[in-house]
Amino acid sequence: MTQIVAHRGYSAAFSENTMTAFFEAEKAGADGIELDVQLTKDGEVVVIHDEKVDRTTSGSGFVKDFPYKELRKLNANKKGIKKEPIPALAEVLEWLKGNELICNIELKNGMFRYEGMEEKVIELIRRYELSDRIILSSFNHYSIVYCYRLAPEIETAPLYVEGIYMPWVYAQSIRAKGIHPKLAAAPDEIIQSALKNNIAVRPFTVNQEDEMRRLYQVNCTALITDDPVKALRIRKQAAKRP
Ligand code: G3P
Ligand code: CA
């Protein structure tokens, strides 16, 4: 069955990459969550999509210029009423210990390299003994290979936007167990060939009902969506069809 992974948590209805968005994704019945990580000035791994805090919080400036203590004072719950801090990755992993969700951690190390980020993320995953429920992804494929070298027991998956020729061959060449293509780069033939070659496929970001149906039809490994409630409803309908 195609898994439903809530993109930045249940971000269609709650502030992205907040604990509330993750709790609500689980409550909705998602199979997993996706989140983004950056590093603070003092090297804490924090969960936020942009390099800057401006769009999603009450503050302004680069994440990398904030000490963790200062960053925690910002409100990341712009859609909600109650104030909520930017989560530390450790906080999310601690919560994951109490459920069975899978978690796709996207390393946001394209603009800034964040030296040492891979080691820190892997240390946390190992500390919480979550290696078998985590998928590490990044648009920075050098980082993906580095993660594999540091921790071959943790699944990796390259993110990409434009079509790659035979992406399952590419994935195998970098020892990744999956691929995370932008939806437009994931036609049926690519998904089917990747699956035949034992490469998992998790396209992003899948919010339209017809695209969800198509992915369920080809038995895609997972879809990454802002709206897990919609994805669950369509999955139930698809399962009833002969
Ligand atoms: O993991 C897929 C997706 O999250 C990648 O794009 O910009 O939403 O992080 P973005
Ligand atoms: Ca992401």
Side-chain angles (χ1 to χ4, degrees):
M1 191 169 53
T2 303
Q3 291 179 312
I4 294 166
V5 176
H7 183 236
R8 312 180 196 173
Y10 184 176
S11 59
F14 302 91
S15 299
E16 67 178 59
N17 282 325
T18 57
M19 290 309 295
T20 298
F22 302 137
F23 296 156
E24 294 294 335
E26 192 212 3
K27 261 200 238 163
D31 301 294
I33 57 166
E34 185 267 358
L35 56 83
D36 308 282
V37 294
Q38 316 252 357
L39 280 194
T40 63
K41 192 175 183 180
D42 44 355
E44 186 74 32
V45 187
V46 289
V47 180
I48 180 168
H49 180 273
D50 300 358
E51 287 74 17
K52 282 185 150 185
V53 299
D54 302 49
R55 180 179 61 86
T56 56
T57 79
S58 53
S60 70
F62 287 107
V63 175
K64 70 174 181 59
D65 294 333
F66 278 85
Y68 178 63
K69 241 181 121 180
E70 291 304 311
L71 192 88
R72 288 286 286 188
K73 291 180 185 162
L74 307 179
N75 180 20
N77 189 14
K78 276 189 157 180
K79 280 187 189 165
I81 301 160
K82 108 178 159 349
K83 198 177 167 203
E84 247 191 276
I86 293 171
L89 179 62
E91 203 176 344
V92 182
L93 299 185
E94 173 85 51
W95 167 71
L96 283 168
K97 287 300 286 175
N99 59 51
E100 295 191 338
L101 297 186
I102 59 164
C103 177
N104 171 202
I105 300 176
E106 182 188 346
L107 279 66
K108 281 286 183 204
N109 48 9
M111 187 185 294
F112 303 118
R113 181 65 190 84
Y114 290 129
E115 205 67 48
M117 182 195 241
E118 292 90 345
E119 285 86 348
K120 284 172 192 283
V121 169
I122 287 165
E123 191 278 315
L124 284 165
I125 296 168
R126 285 178 172 161
R127 192 195 305 165
Y128 287 94
E129 299 179 332
L130 285 165
S131 296
D132 55 346
R133 286 203 271 144
I134 302 279
I135 302 138
L136 292 171
S137 67
S138 179
F139 284 103
N140 179 344
H141 298 184
Y142 286 92
S143 177
I144 286 298
V145 173
Y146 188 50
C147 285
Y148 176 77
R149 290 193 177 136
L150 290 172
E153 77 278 14
I154 304 173
E155 257 191 57
T156 56
L159 278 160
Y160 62 94
V161 172
E162 304 284 346
I164 290 180
Y165 184 66
M166 297 205 290
W168 54 93
V169 175
Y170 175 62
Q172 283 157 351
S173 77
I174 61 167
R175 311 295 294 268
K177 294 236 162 46
I179 49 174
H180 290 188
K182 192 175 166 83
L183 182 59
D188 290 356
E189 317 80 74
I190 293 289
I191 297 172
Q192 283 159 337
S193 298
L195 295 179
K196 262 189 217 146
N197 285 280
N198 288 319
I199 295 296
V201 187
R202 302 181 191 88
F204 70 93
T205 306
V206 188
N207 290 331
Q208 286 188 358
E209 298 194 7
D210 55 340
E211 288 293 0
M212 290 174 176
R213 274 191 207 97
R214 175 175 76 83
L215 297 177
Y216 295 145
Q217 188 73 36
V218 293
N219 212 12
C220 196
T221 314
L223 55 82
I224 301 175
T225 180
D226 296 329
D227 194 340
V229 170
K230 185 197 275 184
L232 275 148
R233 177 170 51 78
I234 304 298
R235 190 171 73 179
K236 271 184 203 141
Q237 286 171 7
K240 274 187 207 148
R241 278 214 231 113

